[in-house]
Amino acid sequence: MLDLIAYITIGGKLPKSLVKKASMVKIKFDEDDATITNIVFNDSYLNLTKKAQENEVLKELQEDVEMDFANTSRKSRLNSLMLNASISFVTTKSEGKIPSAKFLKDLNVDIISTFDEPISYIEDKSKWDSLHDEGVWSSLDKELHELQEQYSYYIGNLANTIENMVISGIQPDIESLKSLYAPKNLFIKTINELFESTGKVIDTSDSKLSFRIVEDDLPISIYELSSGEKQMLYILWKVLLQNQKSYILFLDEPEISLHVDWQESLIEKVRLLNPNCQVIIATHAPSVLLDGWQPYVKNIDDLKIKVAKNG
């Protein structure tokens, strides 16, 4: 269910595996007084044309289907076509019904799943073979590698901010520099505190994010961390790169491979790095919710019942 809600929120085309999960999904945004409605149509095109005569949304879906088939050789088979399609729209109090793309364009969303598996060679072999020497072997390694590149841009932007201030005739003082680098330093401090029990610290002398084993003063790459360490680093690194902007963060069973203490502090650490981040978690671990989050728990079955009643 979480992946279904997440896909609708980012405005992505629903994969076939998700289309079958619900005939209608409604997501309400209290602050904007807006509701995203996603309707799935699983029937023949012929029945769609009939139902579209009385349903404006299905009429739009019919037009979308006809547009997709307009310039293809399959157009002659349209009437016999079985559809498994979806359409989304947004209703707001101030503007009424608007295209979902218009509402979602300013919505920042991150989706994090820490399920790890070997890299798929079907689509990634040529790109990722060259990175095996660095230790990139799994899907989580791949995500960390991409975050490493984003982190380089993040650090570069910090330096550019200082340069632009100097060019503009503003000499940065110590307090302004501390403020500028505060989120990054907080991230490093948080990771170091979490990893202290495993004897690892972030190596601040390296231009890339890497670690040292304190006892032996040995370098260790992000790909050599344990599964739990990789997952916690991945989540908090992703949150740092949100730049403290308003975000919706979807976490799918983040407790996997995490020590119980890390599970309990996860939400606190996320909110510490980005207080403007709304966290939506699918979890089977009560420990994730122990630090005062129990009142915010919703049972997935209750959400399904509400959707059915509202539909």
Side-chain angles (χ1 to χ4, degrees):
M1 181 61 73
L2 183 75
D3 50 3
L4 177 62
I5 296 171
Y7 262 97
I8 293 171
T9 305
I10 63 174
K13 185 176 181 180
L14 294 183
K16 289 182 180 179
S17 59
L18 297 182
V19 167
K20 298 178 180 179
K21 284 193 174 183
S23 60
M24 178 186 289
V25 175
K26 289 187 176 182
I27 306 170
K28 183 173 176 55
F29 294 81
D30 290 334
E31 185 174 336
D32 300 289
D33 197 18
T35 301
I36 301 176
T37 302
N38 181 269
I39 295 176
V40 171
F41 186 84
N42 191 4
D43 204 338
S44 68
Y45 170 78
L46 195 58
N47 283 336
L48 173 62
T49 60
K50 294 175 182 177
K51 295 178 181 180
Q53 295 177 16
E54 300 177 355
N55 187 310
E56 182 182 346
V57 176
L58 292 182
K59 178 65 176 175
E60 292 181 20
L61 180 58
Q62 178 191 355
E63 292 171 354
D64 286 345
V65 172
E66 290 174 350
M67 186 177 298
D68 287 342
F69 279 77
N71 298 314
T72 70
S73 59
R74 297 178 296 168
K75 185 176 181 180
S76 60
R77 296 186 285 117
L78 193 54
N79 284 335
S80 60
L81 184 70
M82 289 297 297
L83 297 175
N84 198 345
S86 67
I87 186 170
S88 293
F89 61 93
V90 175
T91 52
T92 67
K93 186 174 182 180
S94 58
E95 300 180 73
K97 183 170 171 287
I98 62 173
S100 57
K102 179 180 179 181
F103 177 77
L104 297 176
K105 68 180 178 66
D106 296 321
L107 196 66
N108 297 314
V109 178
D110 269 336
I111 303 171
I112 293 180
S113 174
T114 51
F115 293 99
D116 204 9
E117 57 187 5
I119 292 175
S120 170
Y121 279 100
I122 296 175
E123 56 178 324
D124 290 317
K125 188 177 190 311
S126 61
K127 180 177 181 180
W128 297 104
D129 264 357
S130 61
L131 294 171
H132 285 336
D133 289 342
E134 293 185 33
V136 179
W137 287 94
S138 71
S139 58
L140 189 52
D141 290 338
K142 185 176 77 170
E143 296 292 345
L144 290 173
H145 173 79
E146 292 178 348
L147 283 181
Q148 187 76 274
E149 293 184 344
Q150 294 175 36
Y151 186 68
S152 296
Y153 284 114
Y154 172 81
I155 297 299
N157 285 333
L158 292 179
N160 288 338
T161 299
I162 298 174
E163 181 180 347
N164 290 334
M165 291 173 67
V166 173
I167 291 174
S168 302
I170 302 172
Q171 187 62 41
D173 56 25
I174 296 298
E175 290 306 314
S176 61
L177 290 176
K178 282 183 179 180
S179 176
L180 179 64
Y181 280 89
K184 175 207 162 192
N185 291 335
L186 177 59
F187 166 74
I188 292 174
K189 179 176 180 288
T190 302
I191 293 294
N192 284 343
E193 289 174 350
L194 289 168
F195 286 22
E196 182 179 11
S197 61
T198 66
K200 302 181 186 75
V201 295
I202 290 178
D203 186 353
T204 54
S205 66
D206 196 339
S207 57
K208 289 187 175 182
L209 188 69
S210 62
F211 289 80
R212 285 186 300 106
I213 298 176
V214 177
E215 184 176 353
D216 302 313
D217 197 27
L218 290 176
I220 178 174
S221 78
I222 56 178
Y223 313 115
E224 296 176 281
L225 299 172
S226 70
S227 295
E229 290 168 339
K230 285 181 183 179
Q231 290 180 25
M232 184 60 95
L233 174 65
Y234 173 47
I235 293 169
L236 297 185
W237 208 357
K238 193 88 169 176
V239 174
L240 168 70
L241 296 175
Q242 293 174 349
N243 276 317
Q244 297 191 338
K245 296 178 182 177
S246 294
Y247 259 85
I248 299 173
L249 174 64
F250 291 95
L251 290 174
D252 190 7
E253 298 189 39
E255 69 274 8
I256 296 175
S257 297
L258 292 187
H259 187 278
V260 173
D261 289 344
W262 286 10
Q263 293 177 20
E264 291 183 15
S265 65
L266 177 61
I267 299 177
E268 172 203 345
K269 302 302 185 188
V270 168
R271 297 279 294 167
L272 183 67
L273 289 173
N274 186 0
N276 301 310
C277 180
Q278 180 184 13
V279 188
I280 300 175
I281 302 176
T283 181
H284 294 93
S287 52
V288 174
L289 311 166
L290 287 180
D291 194 18
W293 298 102
Q294 296 94 327
Y296 301 95
V297 175
K298 295 291 182 181
N299 189 296
I300 288 293
D301 289 333
D302 293 340
L303 296 177
K304 289 179 181 178
I305 291 170
K306 289 180 180 179
V307 169
K309 287 181 178 179
N310 289 335

